[in-house]
Structure formats: C-alpha cells, structure tokens
Amino acid sequence: MEFDLESQPEIVQTIAGYALQGWELALSWLLSPAAWSQFGLLLAAYVLAVLVNRRLQPFLSRILDPGEAETPIARARRFVAQFLPLLLPLLAYVFTGIGETVVRSIFDSGAVIAFGKRVFLFLAVRALVRDILAEPFLKLLGRYVLIPLAALYAVGLLGPAAGRLEATVVPLGNLSFNLLWLLQFVVVGGIIFWLGQWSNSQSTEFISKQDEMRPSLRQLLAKAVEFLIFAVAFLVLMNIMGINLSALAVLGGAIGVGLGFGLQKIASNFISGVILLVEGQATVGDYVELDGGEAGTIVKMTARAAILETFDGRWIVVPNEDFITTRVVNYSDSGSANRYEAPFSVSYDTDINAVPAIIEAAVSTHPEVLDQPFPPDCELRGFGDSGIDFAVEFWVNGIDDGSKKYTSDVLFLIWNALKDNDIAIPYPHRTVEFKGPLPPMPE
C-alpha cells in the first residue's frame, strides 16, 4: 500500500518535507570527507573544553567564594558563582566557533561544525534553566519559551518558525497583531517587570535599613521608588515594542473621568495615605484607636488603607481617609510613653502614711516602668466601705495589653510588697442586725 503524501494535511506535508531534508543532509554528511573532518574537529573542541573546564572550574570557585560575608562585593561574587555550570558548554561553544572559522577557510563549508556549535548553545541554555534559574517566573519562561527557541535554533528551524508566527495575524476589533509580536511582548514584558520587581525589593530593603529616617518617611520613599521603577518599566516596554504612547491618551482621559465619578473614594484614600506618610502622625508599629471604636497596632499601610491588628489576632482594614477626617488616638506615637494606674485597697488598721513609699519603691523595680517623665506615684483615692483605696500611677513605653500586661505585673508587685510589710488587704464585711426577739433556734 503506497503512502500518498499529497493527500495528507499541510502540517504533515511540512513535517515530512523537513524530515526528508534532514535525511538527505545526514547522508551528505556521512559521505563527505569534509563533514568527517568537521566531526573530528567538533570532538576535539569538546575534549579541549572538558580539559580546560577541569582546571578552570576549581580556580574560579575559590576566587568567587565569599564565605560568610554579606558585603555588596560578596553578594556580587556569589551571584557570578552561580553561573559556573555554564562554563563547560560555553567553552565548547567558543572552541567550536574557532574550529568553524578554520574549517570554512579550508573547505569553504562548515555546516556540521556549525550544527555542533548550536547544540552546545542549546546545552548552555538548558543548564541555565535547569540548574541556575530559581525565580519561578523566569524558570517558567525558560522552560516553555527559551528552551524551545534554543532547540529550534539548534536544528535550523528558528527562521521558518518565526516566519510562520509572523504570518499568523490575530484580529482584535480595529487592531491586529501577529503571534510573533505577541510572543515578543510576553517575553520582553515579563523580563522587564521581573527586573522591576527585583529592583524594587532591593531598594525597599536598602531604604528599610536607614534607621536615621522616620518610619513614615521610609515608607513614603519606598512607595515613591516603587511607583517610579514600574513607571519606567512600562515606558521602556512600550518603547521597545514600538507602541505609540499618544494612543494611550484616550485611555488616560477615560481613567480621569472614572476617577472623577466612580473612583473618587479610591483617589481620596490614596491622597490621605500620602498625607499620613508625609506627616508621620500614624505609622507602622503605632497603636491607634479610631473614633469609630476600631483599635489595634498598625502592621501595614497600603495605598488605600491601613491594616490594624488587634490583640486577639484579628485584622481590621481601615481606609486612609478615616485617619484624616475623624478623631484618632495614637497611644504609641513612635514610642512615646503612656501612663497607667493600678488600684488597690488596704485595711483601716494600716498606717497609711507608710503605704506610698512602700508601693512606689516596689513598682520602681519593674524593668519596664520609667522614671521619666514621672516616676511611680502612689495616691490616696478615698475611704471605701471595706478599706482605704489607693492607686499607683506609672509610665511605660508601650500598650498595657497583649504580650505586655504591665498592670498585671504591677499588681503582683503591690501584693508582694504589702505581704512583706504585714499590711492586710481588706475584703468586704457585712453586719446583720436583728430588731426584736431572736428567732427560736431549731431543736
């Protein structure tokens, strides 16, 4: 039964044509002395690359090893060292390129050695994706884009594949684009914005280490740098892809109208967030209480809202506008001291003149109680039904809740101090009076 190639689909005919060309090329190589000499030169180039790599790899590893250092130079050396697995295929590629030049000057032909050179480049790309790239996005891009492109280049089909993609046009309303342009847009855009994300993380880490700056100023500067980096990345991408930015004027106008009507709350919260960062009246780490009753520690400030974490672990999302338009009590204010008091009572049999000195000395031993702006102060508050009421006022840095319950610690100190000085802590007493004869006792 004969196989009728002309009756098959176009893609089958194309693949069969490439297979036939490959078979004819392989036969021509097998029967050509020049091809065999190129095979030998290709093998020699690979052996030489292996020998050089064995000597050069340990030497470069010692030079690029920074040890435990974390300086910028050490990080740069560590970054370069991770590319050492590419040394062998790249050396083979370079030596094969030199051999290709020699062969072409002698035989005026170098197809075999050129094919070997492209194979070594493919192996370098494969090693890069498999052993070096750790970022998930770059690894995905390398696996499904870079390796297939290198494989097509190795077998000499990159040009025909690019031509076929360029000829495939996708209409989209009044616009149209080819698949090659779309692939380039995805690859270039992904790389540019990944570089932007990496630059943003590095700049944010650097800014966060500037302890001499206010926390709010550090956050504002980090947000400004982030906006600048991604704005530049967007403009670079548009310029590389040949997109006319004037075509985005209509889109910009539509966004402006949307901000004027439907997005005014988002714009208000964004501007309020900028004001908060500039003024520094409320920043990350502060414990605040809003007029609506929401209270907690600010753990994150975004462009739209602040995230408050309560002491029971719940997160409250508070729009930035609420910090500007309503009353806000800031208990922290970047580490300022707060005053608390612990009430207690003593028996009426106590010499109350000695109580303040005893309690103030005991509370002062707490490591978190401050002497400034005021030391502990024990005050007489009144004469109660069961005992004499006192309260000790003390100042601490922080909030009396969560992991630091200062009032509880102070009450323990008060209890121990009163016990050590034989001062009784009263409990309620009740006197019952019977008018008239007593009721008869049961028999």
Side-chain angles (χ1 to χ4, degrees):
M1 182 177 178
E2 296 183 358
F3 180 74
D4 187 6
L5 184 60
E6 296 181 356
S7 62
Q8 299 300 318
E10 182 182 356
I11 186 171
V12 175
Q13 297 181 24
T14 303
I15 295 175
Y18 284 134
L20 183 60
Q21 292 178 12
W23 174 250
E24 293 175 352
L25 181 63
L27 287 177
S28 66
W29 286 356
L30 291 174
L31 300 176
S32 172
W36 280 104
S37 64
Q38 293 178 50
F39 276 121
L41 196 58
L42 188 63
L43 181 61
Y46 178 74
V47 172
L48 180 61
V50 171
L51 295 176
V52 173
N53 179 70
R54 287 180 180 177
R55 300 295 298 271
L56 199 57
Q57 187 85 237
F59 174 73
L60 293 178
S61 298
R62 289 193 302 270
I63 291 179
L64 297 176
D65 184 15
E68 300 296 331
E70 290 297 335
T71 62
I73 297 179
R75 287 195 292 268
R77 291 165 62 186
R78 193 175 291 114
F79 175 78
V80 175
Q82 67 181 345
F83 292 96
L84 287 180
L86 300 180
L87 185 60
L88 176 59
L90 289 180
L91 283 173
Y93 178 82
V94 172
F95 292 152
T96 306
I98 297 174
E100 180 186 6
T101 304
V102 174
V103 168
R104 290 189 183 276
S105 64
I106 297 175
F107 297 103
D108 195 22
S109 174
V112 176
I113 199 169
F115 172 74
K117 184 178 71 172
R118 295 196 298 268
V119 170
F120 287 135
L121 183 61
F122 168 77
L123 294 177
V125 171
R126 182 172 173 269
L128 173 68
V129 175
R130 184 188 61 186
D131 302 327
I132 297 175
L133 295 182
E135 177 69 25
F137 172 77
L138 291 182
K139 204 171 189 68
L140 182 69
L141 196 65
R143 183 178 300 169
Y144 294 104
V145 177
L146 193 57
I147 288 182
L149 290 177
L152 290 174
Y153 175 72
V155 297
L157 297 179
L158 183 59
R164 179 58 62 91
L165 290 176
E166 189 174 8
T168 305
V169 178
V170 178
L172 186 63
N174 296 329
L175 302 176
S176 62
F177 53 88
N178 59 69
L179 292 182
L180 181 61
W181 182 90
L182 179 61
L183 180 62
Q184 291 173 344
F185 182 84
V186 172
V187 173
V188 174
I191 293 175
I192 288 177
F193 279 95
W194 177 82
L195 288 174
Q197 182 65 34
W198 180 81
S199 302
N200 178 57
S201 62
Q202 296 297 315
S203 61
T204 302
E205 181 182 359
F206 175 76
I207 293 173
S208 63
K209 294 180 180 178
Q210 308 306 310
D211 297 332
E212 66 277 4
M213 300 171 61
R214 290 189 296 120
S216 59
L217 185 57
R218 291 201 298 265
Q219 283 202 350
L220 178 61
L221 184 57
K223 291 295 181 184
V225 170
E226 180 181 6
F227 176 80
L228 179 62
I229 287 175
F230 284 103
V232 171
F234 176 76
L235 294 176
V236 169
L237 177 62
M238 295 298 103
N239 186 46
I240 291 177
M241 301 308 301
I243 299 177
N244 189 1
L245 294 178
S246 61
L248 302 177
V250 177
L251 179 61
I255 294 176
V257 173
L259 288 175
F261 290 97
L263 304 179
Q264 54 182 341
K265 275 292 184 182
I266 296 179
S268 175
N269 285 316
F270 177 78
I271 296 173
S272 299
V274 174
I275 294 174
L276 285 173
L277 292 174
V278 171
E279 292 183 348
Q281 297 302 317
T283 186
V284 173
D286 289 353
Y287 184 88
V288 297
E289 181 178 353
L290 303 183
D291 205 17
E294 300 90 348
T297 303
I298 301 177
V299 295
K300 186 178 182 181
M301 297 190 71
T302 65
R304 188 190 65 85
I307 310 298
L308 305 185
E309 183 178 10
T310 63
F311 285 116
D312 54 4
R314 299 175 181 174
W315 280 24
I316 304 175
V317 181
V318 181
N320 291 328
E321 186 181 11
D322 290 359
F323 287 89
I324 303 297
T325 59
T326 61
R327 183 180 65 91
V328 179
V329 180
N330 191 338
Y331 290 92
S332 299
D333 192 18
S334 300
S336 62
N338 297 306
R339 182 177 66 86
Y340 299 97
E341 66 175 40
F344 65 97
S345 299
V346 298
S347 171
Y348 275 99
D349 297 331
T350 305
D351 179 12
I352 62 174
N353 296 297
V355 171
I358 294 173
I359 299 303
E360 290 170 2
V363 175
S364 298
T365 61
H366 193 286
E368 300 294 333
V369 173
L370 305 176
D371 292 331
Q372 298 293 333
F374 300 102
D377 180 26
C378 184
E379 299 177 351
L380 177 65
R381 292 295 173 87
F383 301 98
D385 295 337
S386 302
I388 303 174
D389 297 330
F390 283 87
V392 59
E393 298 176 347
F394 59 94
W395 290 77
V396 292
N397 279 325
I399 307 300
D400 184 28
D401 204 343
S403 61
K404 296 183 177 181
K405 297 183 179 294
Y406 300 113
T407 301
S408 174
D409 295 342
V410 168
L411 288 174
F412 271 107
L413 293 173
I414 293 173
W415 172 273
N416 294 327
L418 295 179
K419 288 295 184 182
D420 292 342
N421 289 273
D422 296 324
I423 299 176
I425 297 177
Y427 52 88
H429 292 80
R430 294 291 182 266
T431 301
V432 181
E433 296 183 1
F434 290 96
K435 293 184 178 182
L438 294 175
M441 298 293 292
E443 294 181 0

